[in-house]
Amino acid sequence: QVIKERAAKKISMTYHRDINVEMFDQAIRVEWGRRETHSAIEKIKTVDNDIKEKMYWIDFYTCVLNNFGIRTKNRQVVKWLATVQSNPKSFEELPYVRDTLKELRENGTAVGIISNAFPSARRILETSGLMQEFKKQHVILSYEYNSVKPERTIYKKAIDHARVKPREILFIDDRKSFVA
């Protein structure tokens, strides 16, 4: 939340717009919605190193600014946003995550991650200490498998790594199309 507040303030000050955190969040959600097309998902699969990741985020935040009607050659803010996006120190963990994971483990539930993730995701998980909350084989990051949600391959990979039957898995995601 702090990063989003800084980002909204930086955009407002740089481009002389009145943009708050809610507006910034909404512009990000709109852009993610636009990127649920087949071609956009294919593009995500090509992001397998830090340089490609930074270019992806520059493009993403350029589009977010476009959602505000901001079209500028001054890409300083966009480059800053792209850098922040992949910086493990910018990661803000939700307050209930570790308690939830602990409770699940105490109840005998194995927990894993399937993420359409770029190289920074592994660093974020390691830097935050969250990687220790999961068995290594239960962390499926798309850039490491050249497959992304909603492709069947990435789900199959997770099932194989978990060594369980599909009916024994509960999959939760914030995108309906990834659950379907």
Side-chain angles (χ1 to χ4, degrees):
Q1 191 65 22
V2 173
I3 297 297
K4 288 180 182 178
E5 289 170 6
R6 284 181 56 205
K9 185 175 181 179
K10 193 172 198 105
I11 293 166
S12 293
M13 291 175 61
T14 303
Y15 302 108
H16 309 290
R17 302 285 178 96
D18 188 18
I19 295 170
N20 60 38
V21 175
E22 292 78 22
M23 293 166 69
F24 183 62
D25 257 349
Q26 178 60 28
I28 288 171
R29 279 193 298 278
V30 166
E31 188 53 33
W32 278 126
R34 286 187 183 136
R35 290 174 185 246
E36 285 193 11
T37 66
H38 177 72
S39 61
I41 290 169
E42 285 299 310
K43 187 174 184 178
I44 288 172
K45 287 170 59 173
T46 68
V47 180
D48 58 1
N49 64 50
D50 292 331
I51 293 168
K52 289 178 184 176
E53 179 175 357
K54 184 152 188 178
M55 297 309 296
Y56 181 90
W57 289 122
I58 286 172
D59 177 64
F60 180 88
Y61 284 111
T62 297
C63 292
V64 167
L65 289 182
N66 288 343
N67 291 337
F68 294 120
I70 299 171
R71 288 168 179 74
T72 178
K73 292 183 189 253
N74 176 358
R75 296 173 63 110
Q76 179 182 355
V77 172
V78 171
K79 288 179 181 177
W80 176 79
L81 287 165
T83 300
V84 167
Q85 182 71 42
S86 57
N87 182 346
K89 293 178 182 170
S90 300
F91 176 75
E92 296 178 42
E93 183 180 314
L94 296 171
Y96 53 81
V97 168
R98 289 188 197 257
D99 289 341
T100 302
L101 292 171
K102 181 181 176 193
E103 190 173 328
L104 287 166
R105 275 194 314 279
E106 287 173 353
N107 290 323
T109 304
V111 181
I113 298 173
I114 304 172
S115 180
N116 286 356
F118 300 143
S120 64
R122 183 163 294 282
R123 289 191 300 274
I124 289 167
L125 288 169
E126 289 169 351
T127 300
S128 70
L130 273 171
M131 188 62 89
Q132 299 169 29
E133 302 286 340
F134 304 95
K135 291 181 179 177
K136 185 178 180 180
Q137 70 269 24
H138 292 169
V139 177
I140 308 296
L141 304 177
S142 61
Y143 81 95
E144 296 174 337
Y145 295 95
N146 194 33
S147 180
V148 296
K149 298 180 288 184
E151 295 175 340
R152 295 177 66 82
T153 306
I154 199 162
Y155 300 105
K156 177 79 169 105
K157 191 63 69 180
I159 292 165
D160 292 347
H161 281 245
R163 296 186 176 136
V164 297
K165 295 179 175 98
R167 70 176 185 273
E168 297 174 318
I169 295 175
L170 169 64
F171 178 73
I172 300 168
D173 201 289
D174 61 344
R175 291 201 183 168
K176 196 174 190 176
S177 63
F178 293 172
V179 176

